[in-house]
Amino acid sequence: MQDRINMNMGAGGEGMQKLLRDIIIEPLMDPRAEIGLGQMDDSGVIDGIVLTTDGHTVKPLFYPGGDIGRLSVCGTVNDVSAMGAEPVGLALGMIIEDGLEMDVLRKVIASISETCRGCGVPVITGDTKVVEKGAIDKLMITTTGIGRMSDALQSNNAKLAASTGRKQKWLQDCNLRPGDDIIITGTIGDHGISLMSFREGYNFQTTLESDNAPLNGLMKHALEAGGLVAAKDPTRGGVANALNEWASKSGVGIVVRESALPFNPQVLAASQLLGIDPLEVGNEGKMLIGVASDFTEEVLGAIRLTEYGGKAAVIATASDSVRRVVLETAVGGKRIIEAPAGDPVPRIC
Amino acid sequence: MQDRINMNMGAGGEGMQKLLRDIIIEPLMDPRAEIGLGQMDDSGVIDGIVLTTDGHTVKPLFYPGGDIGRLSVCGTVNDVSAMGAEPVGLALGMIIEDGLEMDVLRKVIASISETCRGCGVPVITGDTKVVEKGAIDKLMITTTGIGRMSDALQSNNAKLAASTGRKQKWLQDCNLRPGDDIIITGTIGDHGISLMSFREGYNFQTTLESDNAPLNGLMKHALEAGGLVAAKDPTRGGVANALNEWASKSGVGIVVRESALPFNPQVLAASQLLGIDPLEVGNEGKMLIGVASDFTEEVLGAIRLTEYGGKAAVIATASDSVRRVVLETAVGGKRIIEAPAGDPVPRIC
């Protein structure tokens, strides 16, 4: 049988990691990048410019709490922000299926416009292609963001160095050290579970909403508090995937405290019903933040004062006493949190 | 009947211009951009960073002279280069249909890798999504490029200012003035006609090839000669569309000399057979360059020495004695070159 791409390879889990590493990244790696494909970070960096891109194929285009337009802007703003950088501008690439209702496009553009204004990051260039019926499913958007070093990141790095002697330029996946705390900026699993529930037509669709949100403002305040070493928005593959990437790239274990995990009760109920682990489900308005422990309380306090950080919590600690991502359950047990093999909910972003 | 998107709107002609202006650009415009959506230039600029994006939906994925990988890199490198900027890095967004043969992906990536090495612009970040069968047609690639001010552009601008008193920062569509010459860097229509011929299965497919090429090196040499005011790669909508955009944005007429237009004879033959105007057909390895007339010969000479510029020719002059884009035919007649209403060859890029 011929070797073919399959759905699990696009899912943010181990299937994708392998596809990316062997087939795509290895042939394209180039030493000129300050942070390049090989690091598989949230963004690349070259010549001091932070660059990230994201293709959005969400289905349906509109869902409770968001739409493909808001998703596209937030996803890209958050990937730039996850480097500690300040997002400065966006490129908007749209591929539209012949026959799409003009009002659908108008609504998506209005949502992009509103989201851009809300987070202060403008679209400055774009490309639009229309393809024949059947060539794509309605509308796909690829957003690309650029960012730069910010005063907030420089101040964060200076405080970190003064307090711990640790030097860094960007927030990278490989920066975590044993003893660092890990904060999540809010409830886990809302985006994927709400989209899945909405599609399946369960009852809880009426109040459970996606968390689509731009987190550049939140990150600025967190950086000003100081001591951040890493940040990652847990989209495809969810918190489980993000923590496993951190553990692997930083060469540390991570101990997650189940009792500290913030969940919307509807997410827990829906997860149980659908047989899905909410830790493996994508979020679109949350950030995992690694912070040197001297700074944890101050950073947590700063995040909780922001619009999207009210339910932030310290959920885990990097450790050299374990070698994997380990969940300490509420009743005192332990289980390994694996990187998901595939995505439980396809086309959520 | 409900208002819907149609194929002509994605074609680089007037239908697209209207879609872009009214529905997409107007709601998204933002004054922070140094060059923004409103200018509809080849790239945007913010904070001194040049940014451009392009979605590629070419069919078939491989064709004589190129493939979707080479096309994606060249298209983006050329859009950055058309601003006079130096391209420094690329973001690669891929959407892949479930079931795509792994060897197809490998070949596309190998082509991207080779093209990047050839032009010295690396991919530094990317995103890959796999979608279910039928959601897209095999593979779509959105490439985004960043660029910056270069020594060559600064030197070009200084020479231009010293000789003519004209001041500029970037090469923009609105910079053309009456008396400026317009150079095309090689034969016209090769990409679109070769793709169309290949699809239709005509005989000339065997030797007519697409012109897919990265033009950053050519542009650097042209800028070093000095006096460039504008550049544009005539892709969708072809030379006819590009010249009409220039005329409209610069508020000048353009007189095109038919006898000076460089065509591959096979393109002329195929155009006649297919009933297509090759001036309306997309190119993927050509640049239109506007140059102050004092510099024309030197720029032309510099371009002809480059790998992709051997057949460069001065084809037109900006003028205030006409108000449109006017073709002076070989036999002394005149006809208006209109912006094409739609694209004669869909999915060529």
Side-chain angles (χ1 to χ4, degrees):
Chain A
M1 203 187 93
Q2 203 181 6
D3 208 12
R4 289 177 186 273
I5 302 288
N6 68 61
M7 289 297 290
N8 269 344
M9 291 173 178
E14 288 201 335
M16 183 169 78
Q17 299 284 331
K18 199 171 151 47
L19 168 71
L20 291 177
R21 281 213 175 278
D22 299 350
I23 310 286
I24 300 173
I25 292 175
E26 200 278 320
L28 294 178
M29 270 168 61
D30 189 296
R32 275 167 293 189
E34 184 181 333
I35 298 176
L37 287 168
Q39 280 95 327
M40 295 182 74
D41 248 299
D42 299 272
S43 303
V45 183
I46 193 163
D47 270 0
I49 306 166
V50 176
L51 180 67
T52 192
T53 195
D54 243 315
H56 299 280
T57 65
V58 66
K59 187 178 178 177
L61 298 178
F62 304 90
Y63 48 83
D67 60 86
I68 190 171
R70 183 167 173 82
L71 180 74
S72 297
V73 173
C74 294
T76 298
V77 163
N78 294 347
D79 277 343
V80 174
S81 304
M83 305 301 291
E86 179 187 352
V88 297
L90 300 174
L92 177 69
M94 294 198 292
I95 301 175
I96 308 175
E97 187 183 19
D98 179 23
L100 184 77
E101 298 90 334
M102 200 69 85
D103 278 346
V104 168
L105 183 61
R106 279 199 190 93
K107 270 175 70 180
V108 170
I109 296 292
S111 175
I112 291 173
S113 174
E114 189 192 327
T115 311
C116 285
R117 278 172 224 278
C119 66
V121 185
V123 173
I124 66 157
T125 191
D127 178 62
T128 303
K129 289 216 163 52
V130 180
V131 292
E132 73 272 19
K133 273 200 176 67
I136 68 159
D137 186 8
K138 289 184 179 169
L139 174 64
M140 290 180 180
I141 298 182
T142 298
T143 29
T144 307
I146 49 175
R148 61 175 173 201
M149 178 57 68
S150 67
D151 292 346
L153 179 55
Q154 280 178 323
S155 143
N156 173 82
N157 294 350
K159 285 185 190 173
L160 178 74
S163 168
T164 67
R166 293 163 67 174
K167 293 198 193 318
Q168 66 186 15
K169 186 167 175 191
W170 307 101
L171 306 185
Q172 285 193 254
D173 291 346
C174 59
N175 288 353
L176 221 56
R177 298 286 168 269
D180 290 344
D181 287 318
I182 295 169
I183 294 170
I184 183 122
T185 60
T187 52
I188 297 167
D190 300 23
H191 176 71
I193 295 295
S194 79
L195 213 71
M196 184 80 169
S197 308
F198 181 61
R199 285 195 205 143
E200 303 290 327
Y202 293 109
N203 256 346
F204 34 71
Q205 78 192 50
T206 45
T207 55
L208 183 58
E209 290 200 343
S210 163
D211 57 359
N212 276 194
L215 300 175
N216 53 329
L218 180 153
M219 283 299 294
K220 179 168 183 282
H221 285 99
L223 288 164
E224 284 166 354
L228 272 60
V229 298
K232 197 168 192 67
D233 63 327
T235 56
R236 282 185 286 175
V239 169
N241 192 62
L243 292 181
N244 272 282
E245 279 196 46
W246 271 0
S248 151
K249 292 183 192 170
S250 292
V252 297
I254 294 176
V255 178
V256 182
R257 290 174 291 278
E258 187 175 40
S259 60
L261 296 173
F263 286 113
N264 190 317
Q266 292 169 300
V267 166
L268 290 178
S271 296
Q272 213 158 16
L273 195 64
L274 299 165
I276 288 173
D277 181 352
L279 290 176
E280 297 188 357
V281 165
N283 308 272
E284 291 292 342
K286 298 292 150 45
M287 196 72 82
L288 285 163
I289 295 176
V291 57
S293 57
D294 291 355
F295 296 88
T296 306
E297 285 311 309
E298 200 170 341
V299 170
L300 186 66
I303 291 171
R304 283 188 174 157
L305 291 176
T306 64
E307 180 176 3
Y308 301 113
K311 294 186 177 167
V314 183
I315 61 167
T317 303
S319 164
D320 53 7
S321 67
V322 295
R323 296 170 60 94
R324 307 280 294 273
V325 181
V326 176
L327 184 74
E328 288 186 348
T329 65
V331 295
K334 285 191 162 80
R335 75 168 171 90
I336 305 282
I337 300 177
E338 306 273 4
D343 201 323
V345 192
R347 288 190 63 189
I348 61 163
C349 61
Chain B
M1 203 188 91
Q2 204 179 7
D3 209 13
R4 289 177 185 273
I5 302 287
N6 68 62
M7 288 297 290
N8 269 344
M9 292 172 177
E14 288 201 335
M16 183 170 78
Q17 298 284 330
K18 199 172 150 47
L19 168 71
L20 291 177
R21 281 212 176 279
D22 298 351
I23 311 286
I24 300 173
I25 292 175
E26 199 278 321
L28 294 177
M29 271 168 59
D30 189 295
R32 275 168 295 190
E34 184 181 332
I35 298 176
L37 287 168
Q39 279 95 327
M40 296 181 74
D41 247 300
D42 298 90
S43 303
V45 182
I46 193 163
D47 270 359
I49 306 166
V50 175
L51 180 67
T52 192
T53 195
D54 243 315
H56 299 280
T57 65
V58 65
K59 185 178 180 178
L61 298 178
F62 303 90
Y63 48 84
D67 59 85
I68 190 171
R70 183 166 172 82
L71 180 74
S72 298
V73 173
C74 295
T76 299
V77 163
N78 294 348
D79 277 343
V80 174
S81 304
M83 306 301 291
E86 179 187 352
V88 296
L90 300 174
L92 178 68
M94 294 197 293
I95 301 175
I96 308 175
E97 186 183 21
D98 180 22
L100 184 77
E101 298 90 333
M102 200 68 86
D103 279 346
V104 168
L105 183 61
R106 280 199 189 91
K107 271 176 70 180
V108 170
I109 296 292
S111 174
I112 291 173
S113 174
E114 189 193 327
T115 311
C116 285
R117 278 172 223 278
C119 66
V121 186
V123 174
I124 67 158
T125 190
D127 178 62
T128 303
K129 289 217 160 54
V130 180
V131 292
E132 73 272 19
K133 272 198 178 66
I136 67 158
D137 186 7
K138 290 185 179 166
L139 174 63
M140 290 181 180
I141 298 183
T142 299
T143 30
T144 308
I146 49 175
R148 60 175 173 202
M149 177 58 67
S150 67
D151 292 345
L153 179 55
Q154 279 178 324
S155 142
N156 173 81
N157 294 349
K159 284 185 190 173
L160 178 73
S163 168
T164 67
R166 292 162 68 173
K167 293 198 193 317
Q168 66 187 15
K169 186 168 176 191
W170 307 101
L171 306 184
Q172 286 194 255
D173 291 346
C174 58
N175 287 352
L176 221 56
R177 299 287 168 267
D180 290 345
D181 286 319
I182 295 170
I183 295 170
I184 183 118
T185 61
T187 52
I188 297 167
D190 300 23
H191 177 71
I193 295 293
S194 80
L195 214 72
M196 183 80 170
S197 308
F198 182 60
R199 285 194 205 142
E200 303 290 327
Y202 293 110
N203 255 347
F204 34 72
Q205 79 192 51
T206 45
T207 55
L208 183 59
E209 291 200 343
S210 163
D211 56 359
N212 276 194
L215 300 175
N216 52 330
L218 180 153
M219 282 299 295
K220 180 169 182 282
H221 285 97
L223 287 164
E224 284 166 355
L228 271 61
V229 298
K232 197 167 193 67
D233 63 327
T235 56
R236 281 184 287 174
V239 168
N241 192 61
L243 293 181
N244 271 282
E245 279 196 45
W246 270 0
S248 150
K249 291 182 193 170
S250 291
V252 297
I254 295 177
V255 177
V256 181
R257 289 174 291 279
E258 187 175 39
S259 60
L261 296 173
F263 286 111
N264 190 318
Q266 293 169 300
V267 166
L268 289 179
S271 296
Q272 213 158 14
L273 194 65
L274 299 165
I276 287 173
D277 180 352
L279 290 177
E280 298 189 356
V281 165
N283 309 271
E284 292 292 342
K286 298 292 151 46
M287 195 73 81
L288 285 164
I289 295 177
V291 57
S293 57
D294 290 355
F295 297 88
T296 306
E297 284 312 308
E298 200 169 342
V299 170
L300 185 66
I303 292 171
R304 283 188 174 158
L305 291 175
T306 64
E307 181 176 2
Y308 301 113
K311 294 187 177 166
V314 183
I315 60 167
T317 303
S319 165
D320 53 7
S321 67
V322 295
R323 296 171 60 95
R324 308 280 294 272
V325 181
V326 176
L327 183 75
E328 287 186 348
T329 65
V331 295
K334 284 190 161 89
R335 75 169 172 90
I336 304 282
I337 300 177
E338 307 272 4
D343 200 323
V345 192
R347 288 189 64 188
I348 61 162
C349 60

